[in-house]
Amino acid sequence: MTDLNASNVSPLATLPGANIFLIGFMGSGKSHWGKIWASVNQLTFIDLDEMIENKEGKSIASIFETHGEDYFRRKEAEALRSCEGLQNTIVACGGGTPCFYENMQWMNDHGLTIYIASTAEEILQRVLNEKEKRPLLKKLNEQELLLFIDQKVKERAAFYEMAKVTVMSGLLEDDSLPAIISTTTI
Ligand code: S3P
């Protein structure tokens, strides 16, 4: 049995494409855990939203305002595909990434997709203070926000559930990644 914690063995060594895509709703902890797991396992971390912001020279909020959501989704699909060829990398996707341009299929073909699932209440608590940077949320009050999150999570479930592994956000820890990887046989 491979010791995934041995310092000279990358936990990604067993994965085709050797990349991990973290998916899940806004505020589910994709960037938070992506950064921690990359650091603990000596992997590279990439945040897809940040990649788009750097390429466009604008914040996500400003891209939505200036060019609209369709434009953003095209840039998002392009940014995702530019990850082809990366190795030993954890990519934190945007909450909507799996739902457009067959991105979910592409991610499943190019690495390990991990769905970080959360309840609507957990998501609400995490996004309440960060609404401004999220164009889909910023105009909603707390009550509207909970309804929106609940509806959108249900709407997106079919995409999120295509992930190869699903984990509950509340159970995650700094050293969870090797154990998560070992639950999959891809
Ligand atoms: C979005 C999620 C955001 C960002 C954009 C759209 C979505 O990313 O990509 O605001 O459609 O759920 P985070 O999930 O990192 O907040």
Side-chain angles (χ1 to χ4, degrees), residues 24-28 30-31 47-49 52 60-61 64 69 72-73 76 92-97 99-100 127 130 133-137 148 152 156 160:
F25 205 77
M26 291 176 259
S28 57
K30 300 170 300 251
S31 300
D47 182 299
L48 202 64
D49 279 343
I52 301 165
I60 299 294
F64 266 71
E69 182 172 352
F72 171 76
R73 297 301 173 192
E76 180 176 55
C93 298
T97 311
C99 317
F100 296 87
V127 297
E130 302 178 346
K133 64 176 192 188
R134 293 188 166 102
L136 299 175
L137 308 181
F148 176 85
K152 270 272 179 246
R156 291 177 169 180
Y160 291 157

